[in-house]
Amino acid sequence: MSVQERFDKAAADVKSLKSSPSDNDLLEVYALFKQGSIGDCNTDKPGFLDFKGKAKWEAWNGKKGISKEDAMEAYIKKVQELIASIGMA
């Protein structure tokens, strides 16, 4: 399978986890997914009171400079780790 196919499969698999990962794991998965699918963060930083949006933006922006392919590989690895620790429904 190509990196894109494995990335797409991991994106589908992550939706079938038995339970929700920790907030830190969720932010990591989100940031790697965005970096792998879009590239560097291309949106303005959310306002001060948008805590969730700000955390997501900071996580994604923290991946700046990582190539799409490297981010895809890291995403696939992270999802596999979550499946191993949490399991799938």
Side-chain angles (χ1 to χ4, degrees), residues 40-75:
D40 288 345
C41 186
N42 59 2
T43 61
D44 293 332
K45 189 173 184 175
F48 179 72
L49 296 176
D50 182 0
F51 300 113
K52 185 176 179 181
K54 186 176 169 196
K56 290 168 74 174
W57 185 92
E58 287 174 349
W60 181 16
N61 197 50
K63 304 295 180 196
K64 186 178 279 188
I66 298 175
S67 73
K68 283 186 175 186
E69 188 166 304
D70 286 348
M72 284 184 189
E73 290 288 359
Y75 178 81

Side-chain angles (χ1 to χ4, degrees), residues 17-55:
L17 292 172
K18 271 187 187 173
S19 62
S20 184
S22 70
D23 288 346
N24 286 339
D25 284 338
L26 285 173
L27 283 173
E28 182 72 7
V29 166
Y30 170 81
L32 289 170
F33 179 83
K34 294 293 271 188
Q35 189 70 21
S37 56
I38 296 172
D40 288 345
C41 186
N42 59 2
T43 61
D44 293 332
K45 189 173 184 175
F48 179 72
L49 296 176
D50 182 0
F51 300 113
K52 185 176 179 181
K54 186 176 169 196

